[in-house]
Amino acid sequence: MKRPLADEIRPKTLDEVVGQRHLLAPGAVLRRLIESGTDVNMVFYGPSGTGKTTIANIIAQQTHKTLHRLNATTASLQDIKDIIADVGTLLAPGGILLYLDEIQYFNKKQQQSLLEFMENGSLTLIASTTENPYFYVYGALLSRSTVFEFKPVAPAEVEPAVRRALNMERERLDLPVEWEDEVPRHIATACGGDVRKAINAVELLCQAAIPVDGKLRLTREDTLQVSQRSAMRYDRGGDAMYDLASALMKSLRGSDPDAALHYLARFLEAGDLITPCRRLLCSASEDIGMAYPQAVVIVKACVDAAMQLGLPEAQLPLAQAAVLLATAPKSNSTSAGIAAAWADVKAGRTGDVPRELQNVHADTAGQEREQGYLYPHNFTGHWVRQQYLPDALKDVVYYQYGDNKTEQAARTYWEKIKGQ
């Protein structure tokens, strides 16, 4: 049976690995650890197809250990016990290297079962995860491991691997293989930094190619169909989603409408309406706030329209909301104010509600007390000097007027009314 191309082309040495120069360049820490044969427990964190499994294989060869692979989505405690049983036997004369893929799917008890063997050195663990290990990996296991972050591979680094795969397919197939000039570059760009996806696209293209004049010709049109939608990593509820949500929010706050539209489009391409709608609504109050108070009303209308329309038409009101927020004047005075007030409440800095503000209807019948509340509408300008905060906080200022036109107009109005 013919081996999958991605497996056949898998690098055997560190110099053949595509990308991850920050980890594998001469002198980099991970490379030095591998070349020295040091037994270090590691956690490889990063998206799929970036070399985590390949490097684990190379480490196993370099350290002369018996490599065992488990996937946490299907493995059990018994699988771990079976592997540990090989320690000290002829089946594992140099020790055991356990490569545990998708460790985030192991529960705390399963992760804890590895600690004893990591401590006594009978097992070297390399765990991989596509999610942030500081959220998903048990703290005691993390403290015994070194985390290395793998990054999506740039198209310029993927393209040589694509060309190598094309040449390998040319050797493996019975008919000659030719391709249009744009094919390698497009595959490298469309794979979204996932080298495995790029290699699989090459193999699929060759399998689907129609013989013409005794040759297999790979066209740009076929490449577009094979690689469509693959350039974007998105896992609802995963790191990629939160990274996009953060990027959208920060682009709105940074007044960059082009970036805001870009990240919004990535959500739309993934079919996720809920996440960008939440970010847009939040930004309207957090980042624009009193500088343009009507923004939240307009954005809410745009969000409601988008949810009623559904995709693809939802793109229109959401794009309108994104551009509005990105180009609107900014103020975080309200978000800063509520944050300061809430911090005081959490710290216990509260105090009794002033008598003037208490609910008189709560007094016992026949024991009513004079309240002393001054009704502002009975006074000029609908305002009268009166204490509203508890005694312990009576001089606290939470809200600071922003430097935008709207808030400065309000400030001028109230300074005149209050005679300041």
Side-chain angles (χ1 to χ4, degrees), residues 300-315:
K300 178 62 167 62
C302 289
V303 165
D304 288 346
M307 298 307 291
Q308 285 187 314
L309 287 170
L311 288 170
E313 291 85 355
Q315 64 183 293

Side-chain angles (χ1 to χ4, degrees), residues 262-278:
H262 170 78
Y263 293 115
L264 172 62
R266 289 172 69 164
F267 278 114
L268 299 178
E269 177 69 7
D272 184 353
L273 286 180
I274 299 299
T275 305
C277 285
R278 286 168 56 90

